[in-house]
Amino acid sequence: AMSLMKDVVSLNNQGVSYLARRDFPQAIDALRQAIVLAKRSCRVLSANGAQTSTKGNQVKETSRRSPQELPKFLRKSNGSLNDDLGGFHSSGILLDYCSDLPEDAELTSATVIFNMACAFHTKSIAQFGCQEEMDKAKSLYMHVHQLVSGLIVRGNGGNNEVAATGNFAIDFLYLAIVNNMAYAELDVFGDKTKSAALFQRLALFSLSCREKCLGEETLLEWFLQNAVFAQVGKLITAPAA
């Protein structure tokens, strides 16, 4: 499984590199392969976890680790967000490594799925709002949002309140997902009600990240600015009462 995850990371980073060059066929192909391998690896790791859990107290329950103990997956060289597409995070997310723990594999898999959504989202914009590509992106965003929301609940000790875990990789990925979903609803689907709710969620989660003092303020503040500017823009363009 560890070898599989190394291949997942490699394919993911190839896909992100192709995406940066706007080579959509190559990006989507690499990310699709990464998703297939990630699913296979997660199944293997889950099966191994089920086997080791029967050995009694000799095995530490990894699900009880604090979120601060999880590896920080994001590669630092990917620290600059590009807003050339109007606040939409279009650069994808690079990965450095993955351990052989099931929850770490889940986070890696979620990151790859997010990157695939980014590829379809960016391709849709490049094709002047192609609905078919955007529908694929939306479906992937919704799927990965559900996955990462689960990681956040576990990271917060089972608390269903959606708030920062204190782990940069998880929190950053959640912000990127909600940010892109909000812009998709606003710019492509034209649903101002949904986009407003998502931007509000983005702002609240960004503020909870600030409270955790994650040490990555520049990246996280970018999302908060997006949420604030979107809400201000809505007020400016709203018809007079």
Side-chain angles (χ1 to χ4, degrees):
M2 188 61 186
S3 176
L4 281 176
M5 291 312 298
K6 287 181 179 178
D7 290 339
V8 170
V9 169
S10 177
L11 284 166
N12 174 80
N13 292 349
Q14 288 177 35
V16 171
S17 178
Y18 285 127
L19 179 57
R21 300 199 294 268
R22 299 300 185 254
D23 186 341
F24 299 117
Q26 294 275 30
I28 291 169
D29 182 61
L31 293 168
R32 184 174 285 121
Q33 291 181 59
I35 289 173
V36 171
L37 290 181
K39 287 180 178 179
R40 189 186 308 168
S41 179
C42 285
R43 285 197 297 269
V44 172
L45 289 171
S46 295
N48 290 343
Q51 292 172 5
T52 57
S53 66
T54 63
K55 297 181 180 180
N57 296 328
Q58 295 177 348
V59 179
K60 180 182 178 182
E61 293 184 40
T62 59
S63 61
R64 291 185 179 176
R65 295 186 309 159
S66 70
Q68 286 77 13
E69 293 181 65
L70 289 172
K72 295 187 184 301
F73 292 99
L74 299 182
R75 181 174 295 178
K76 296 303 179 185
S77 62
N78 195 44
S80 59
L81 297 177
N82 66 313
D83 58 354
D84 58 327
L85 294 176
F88 154 53
H89 178 44
S90 60
S91 59
I93 297 175
L94 291 167
L95 296 168
D96 258 335
Y97 68 95
C98 180
S99 75
D100 59 353
L101 297 173
E103 62 266 41
D104 298 344
E106 287 181 61
L107 180 57
T108 297
S109 300
T111 303
V112 178
I113 295 170
F114 169 77
N115 287 337
M116 177 71 96
C118 278
F120 284 121
H121 193 158
T122 310
K123 184 179 179 183
S124 172
I125 293 174
Q127 295 179 350
F128 305 101
C130 175
Q131 190 68 38
E132 181 181 357
E133 303 299 335
M134 199 59 237
D135 286 341
K136 294 176 184 176
K138 183 175 181 178
S139 177
L140 288 166
Y141 282 140
M142 292 175 67
H143 177 52
V144 74
H145 179 271
Q146 184 177 14
L147 292 176
V148 177
S149 294
L151 291 175
I152 288 173
V153 169
R154 276 184 280 167
N156 285 323
N159 188 340
N160 286 323
E161 181 183 1
V162 181
T165 65
N167 176 263
F168 178 68
I170 295 175
D171 295 339
F172 177 89
L173 181 55
Y174 184 80
L175 287 169
I177 293 165
V178 175
N179 179 81
N180 285 10
M181 289 175 70
Y183 276 104
E185 292 294 350
L186 181 64
D187 297 333
V188 180
F189 296 103
D191 192 326
K192 293 183 178 180
T193 302
K194 283 186 180 179
S195 67
L198 287 164
F199 278 124
Q200 183 177 26
R201 189 185 309 170
L202 182 66
L204 292 173
F205 196 87
S206 297
L207 291 171
S208 72
C209 287
R210 178 187 283 177
E211 292 173 3
K212 296 285 185 178
C213 300
L214 295 178
E216 301 284 353
E217 289 83 2
T218 303
L219 287 175
L220 300 175
E221 288 293 325
W222 188 84
F223 292 111
L224 179 57
Q225 290 173 13
N226 271 356
V228 172
F229 290 157
Q231 295 302 313
V232 171
K234 182 181 177 184
L235 290 173
I236 292 173
T237 56

